[in-house]
Amino acid sequence: MRAPMVCWTVTSALVLTSCATQESDPESASSTPPALEASPSSSPEESALEAYRGMWDVVVEGAREGAVGHPDLADYASGQALELTTDMLQGVTATGEPEFAPEVVDTELDDSPSTVSIEDCVDSSDWLVIEDGETTDVGERRRVVSAEVVLAEERWLVDDLWLEDYGSC
């Protein structure tokens, strides 16, 4: 029962970020999505938030398509976060839009790797997840999601992702 809730929450968070995807210029396309590149014009906090939102965009897109994993997840996530979000897409289809409100809660730029901690209260009231042909109903639709985003090879990647119990925010 806990696995469907985890899938539902992660998928919910991605839907909102997918609304904010950037348009890319085909002439300036690179293998690294623009939202992930460490840019002198963006603060580390802004870049980390973009990676967090981008990760959720990919999860939401994958869930809408009924994908098993998604090739773009590795552009936004690594480590435990990549494993968790990949697992969340296994056998799941979703509709609707979750709401996100991510905030930076800590920044460690002197450490290697540089790390930005994010906390979010994801509201998946408008996010319907169908797993194995069954609609997942978890009652309360808001939960705390915490993430550690690291600067790795000049790209910001969500490396750790934690989903609290529903009703935690």
Side-chain angles (χ1 to χ4, degrees):
M1 184 70 169
R2 185 163 175 88
M5 285 188 266
V6 169
C7 291
W8 185 81
T9 300
V10 171
T11 307
S12 300
L14 287 179
V15 167
L16 289 180
T17 53
S18 65
C19 295
T21 56
Q22 297 180 357
E23 295 182 50
S24 62
D25 180 352
E27 295 179 15
S28 65
S30 70
S31 62
T32 303
L36 299 179
E37 295 173 356
S39 167
S41 62
S42 295
S43 72
E45 293 84 359
E46 290 169 337
S47 296
L49 285 166
E50 288 174 6
Y52 175 82
R53 289 182 186 111
M55 176 196 68
W56 283 120
D57 285 344
V58 171
V59 170
V60 169
E61 177 185 322
R64 283 185 178 153
E65 297 171 354
V68 176
H70 195 289
D72 294 342
L73 272 174
D75 291 336
Y76 297 95
S78 62
Q80 178 269 349
L82 179 59
E83 291 176 29
L84 178 61
T85 53
T86 299
D87 288 347
M88 293 168 106
L89 290 174
Q90 302 298 317
V92 172
T93 304
T95 61
E97 300 272 330
E99 293 183 31
F100 301 92
E103 295 181 5
V104 172
V105 294
D106 192 24
T107 305
E108 299 289 332
L109 300 178
D110 296 331
D111 295 341
S112 182
S114 294
T115 304
V116 174
S117 300
I118 294 173
E119 191 166 290
D120 198 351
C121 179
V122 176
D123 182 351
S124 28
S125 299
D126 295 329
W127 180 247
L128 178 63
V129 175
I130 303 163
E131 185 170 14
D132 300 325
E134 302 271 332
T135 301
T136 304
D137 183 12
V138 297
E140 171 62 43
R141 304 287 187 176
R142 294 168 45 95
R143 69 165 27 161
V144 171
V145 175
S146 302
E148 294 290 324
V149 186
V150 298
L151 181 60
E153 298 178 18
E154 299 187 29
R155 295 183 342 166
W156 288 95
L157 300 169
V158 179
D159 196 53
D160 286 304
L161 187 67
W162 302 277
L163 309 172
E164 300 295 329
D165 291 332
Y166 287 100
S168 56
C169 61

